[in-house]
Amino acid sequence: MKLSKRLEMIINMVPELGAGGCVADVGTDHGFVPIRLVQLGKAGRALALDVREGPLSRAREHIKDCGLSRQIETRLSDGLAALAPGEANVVVITGMGGELTLRILREGEAVRGMVDGWVFSPQSELSRFRHGLEELGLAIIREEMVFEDGKYYTVMLVKPGAMHYEEEFRYRFGDCLIRAHSPQLLCFLERQKQQYREILAALDAQDSATARIRAVEIEKEWKEAEEAYAAMQGNHSKA
């Protein structure tokens, strides 16, 4: 079973739990993440959860083919609904938008308070997602970025705790990535700045009220990208 670079990064981010540990994978799709975690011995057992029966059926087949039906249980679940408080040490939620992931966390408050760690890889709304984690009393401990199939993916290890960044660009691009001088983030920022130039040129050609409003938003994002880039180069006073 060959996994994508993104899935390998997600698996690497999960802490070693040992034979007595349990991982829950929300939105498991094919079940590859829990399968590999159990195969590697990072967890003794796992729960594969998905809101749709189709992906769960595929996951069951893969789990059975790997001879792990006793260690990995599949459950039909909307978010954390089918997970009992304290049942999983670590919960993995990846491949969803940031707002949807936050909704799952808010609706699963009873479960959320008894989870030791989380692994997230939101596909969108990263700034809002990091703000949401702060509001929920969760802190990003580690963050990595991987480039695959023309797209950048961010993977986070999160634990209960306080988190706050003074500058907004750290919420948008990731304080941990900035402080680690992530080569992937540097490449991402360079690409973003080029895209901002192209978008602003196109908006300027439109010369409409809507285009001008959008241009202000893009200029703000561009400024934050420049601030993040400067911080990674050691040119920001609070980096």
Side-chain angles (χ1 to χ4, degrees):
M1 182 175 63
K2 182 172 176 56
L3 301 183
S4 67
K5 289 194 291 185
R6 182 180 69 91
L7 288 184
E8 289 287 4
M9 181 69 73
I10 289 166
I11 289 160
N12 290 338
M13 196 70 78
V14 175
E16 296 280 351
L17 300 174
C22 176
V23 174
D25 182 31
V26 178
T28 196
D29 199 16
H30 294 81
F32 293 155
V33 169
I35 288 171
R36 181 57 63 86
L37 287 170
V38 172
Q39 286 177 332
L40 292 173
K42 297 192 82 168
R45 68 187 189 93
L47 302 169
L49 283 62
D50 206 287
V51 72
R52 298 171 298 164
E53 181 57 44
L56 271 188
S57 178
R58 291 194 297 270
R60 287 191 200 100
E61 291 178 8
H62 293 137
I63 291 165
K64 182 179 179 181
D65 290 343
C66 293
L68 296 173
S69 297
R70 291 187 177 181
Q71 293 102 310
I72 304 175
E73 179 184 346
T74 60
R75 293 180 188 174
L76 194 65
S77 178
D78 184 0
L80 302 170
L83 188 64
E87 192 173 15
N89 306 95
V90 171
V91 176
V92 177
I93 306 179
T94 62
M96 306 178 195
E99 284 291 351
L100 175 56
T101 306
L102 287 174
R103 178 184 71 78
I104 289 172
L105 291 173
R106 294 189 189 105
E107 293 178 353
E109 183 178 3
V111 172
R112 192 179 74 236
M114 299 186 70
V115 172
D116 297 327
W118 306 80
V119 174
F120 299 117
S121 183
Q123 302 295 289
S124 60
E125 305 141 332
L126 284 167
S127 177
R128 178 70 196 97
F129 182 72
R130 293 186 180 99
H131 276 290
L133 292 179
E134 178 181 335
E135 294 163 7
L136 292 171
L138 297 171
I140 300 171
I141 305 302
R142 180 185 163 202
E143 200 163 351
E144 301 284 350
M145 181 176 272
V146 61
F147 181 74
E148 185 172 51
D149 296 331
K151 185 174 179 180
Y152 288 90
Y153 297 94
T154 300
V155 183
M156 310 170 183
L157 173 62
V158 173
K159 294 187 177 183
M163 179 182 75
H164 179 70
Y165 306 141
E166 292 298 326
E167 298 109 337
E168 183 59 32
F169 69 82
R170 297 184 185 274
Y171 288 96
R172 181 173 295 280
F173 298 109
D175 182 65
C176 292
L177 293 170
I178 292 168
R179 291 185 180 276
H181 302 279
S182 164
Q184 290 80 13
L185 178 58
L186 274 173
C187 292
F188 175 76
L189 289 171
E190 289 170 353
R191 189 172 80 164
Q192 284 294 102
K193 289 191 291 182
Q194 179 59 36
Q195 288 178 348
Y196 292 147
R197 292 187 192 96
E198 295 170 358
I199 293 170
L200 285 174
L203 291 171
D204 185 57
Q206 293 179 30
D207 191 26
S208 67
T210 301
R212 285 191 289 272
I213 292 171
R214 179 60 180 149
V216 171
E217 296 173 351
I218 292 298
E219 286 170 354
K220 179 178 180 293
E221 293 180 14
W222 190 348
K223 180 176 181 292
E224 290 174 359
E226 293 283 9
E227 289 175 326
Y229 194 88
M232 295 181 75
Q233 302 299 318
N235 298 326
H236 196 281
S237 60
K238 293 184 180 180

